[in-house]
Amino acid sequence: MAARLVSVSVPLLLLLVVVLTGSRAALASKTVEQTCAKATSGARRKELLAPFCVSSLQAAPGSEGADARGLAAIATNLTLANYTAAVATIKALERRGGWSERSRRALATCRQRYIEALNVVHSAVHALATGKLRDYVSDMGVVRKAATDCEGAFGGAGGNGKSPLRKVDADADNLTVVAMLIVRSLQ
């Protein structure tokens, strides 16, 4: 009798775990979706930023249990990681060589701007942690400028002006904007 009870209970227990886990993930997903919808509601490029916000945050560890403030911190950490990766990508492109003088100058400008931005991201993290949301938004506006300055540096790079960092710059800009919008929605 006990063996039969155990054999029936194990599948039932597994089903219960699956259902509870799925509902928790759905609730977390809903929090991310609601936060992103609220944050991007009045934004230009909403049709691009809202899905970018959701996919970026849902992929980030810790987002499943985070509230809007926690999601703002996660978005900021994603920005920090993205800008760090951008510097590494730029350095790799510089080492690869084969660039015109104008392109080398543009890469140097990009590297400098992204490194400067990394210092400001740390200030923004502190502002967010201490509840100085206006300072945070101001800092992140400066951070965002790195991506636009980098694209601008290649705009005058002669010839076709195509930046080898177009995707890097676009992701950096989008992550920074998402983080700023989430924080603005907290005010």
Side-chain angles (χ1 to χ4, degrees):
M1 179 78 164
R4 182 181 164 136
L5 182 60
V6 169
S7 67
V8 170
S9 297
V10 171
L12 188 59
L13 182 61
L14 287 174
L15 178 63
L16 184 60
V17 168
V18 168
V19 168
L20 289 177
T21 303
S23 64
R24 182 174 173 206
L27 180 61
S29 177
K30 187 172 182 136
T31 301
V32 168
E33 289 171 9
Q34 288 173 342
T35 300
C36 289
K38 179 180 177 187
T40 61
S41 66
R44 285 179 283 157
R45 304 181 309 151
K46 176 186 175 183
E47 66 286 343
L48 166 75
L49 288 173
F52 183 87
C53 177
V54 171
S55 63
S56 298
L57 290 176
Q58 283 181 340
S63 65
E64 68 269 359
D67 61 4
R69 186 172 289 276
L71 292 173
I74 290 168
T76 305
N77 288 333
L78 289 173
T79 301
L80 179 62
N82 178 271
Y83 278 57
T84 301
V87 171
T89 299
I90 294 164
K91 287 180 178 179
L93 289 170
E94 289 175 321
R95 280 192 302 273
R96 187 183 81 192
W99 301 102
S100 69
E101 180 60 32
R102 289 178 139 185
S103 292
R104 282 196 301 275
R105 282 196 307 261
L107 284 169
T109 296
C110 291
R111 181 176 26 84
Q112 178 184 356
R113 295 296 188 270
Y114 274 103
I115 289 171
E116 291 167 354
L118 282 170
N119 291 327
V120 181
V121 172
H122 291 289
S123 175
V125 168
H126 178 71
L128 182 61
T130 58
K132 297 178 180 172
L133 302 185
R134 285 189 178 154
D135 291 347
Y136 173 90
V137 171
S138 176
D139 286 346
M140 291 301 275
V142 172
V143 169
R144 181 181 182 206
K145 194 158 172 20
T148 56
D149 285 354
C150 182
E151 275 303 301
F154 278 97
N160 58 20
K162 289 186 180 176
S163 169
L165 298 166
R166 183 167 285 148
K167 174 82 168 106
V168 170
D169 293 336
D171 287 346
D173 184 64
N174 289 336
L175 279 170
T176 307
V177 169
V178 163
M180 288 188 326
L181 291 173
I182 292 171
V183 169
R184 281 185 183 148
S185 75
L186 298 174
Q187 295 176 332

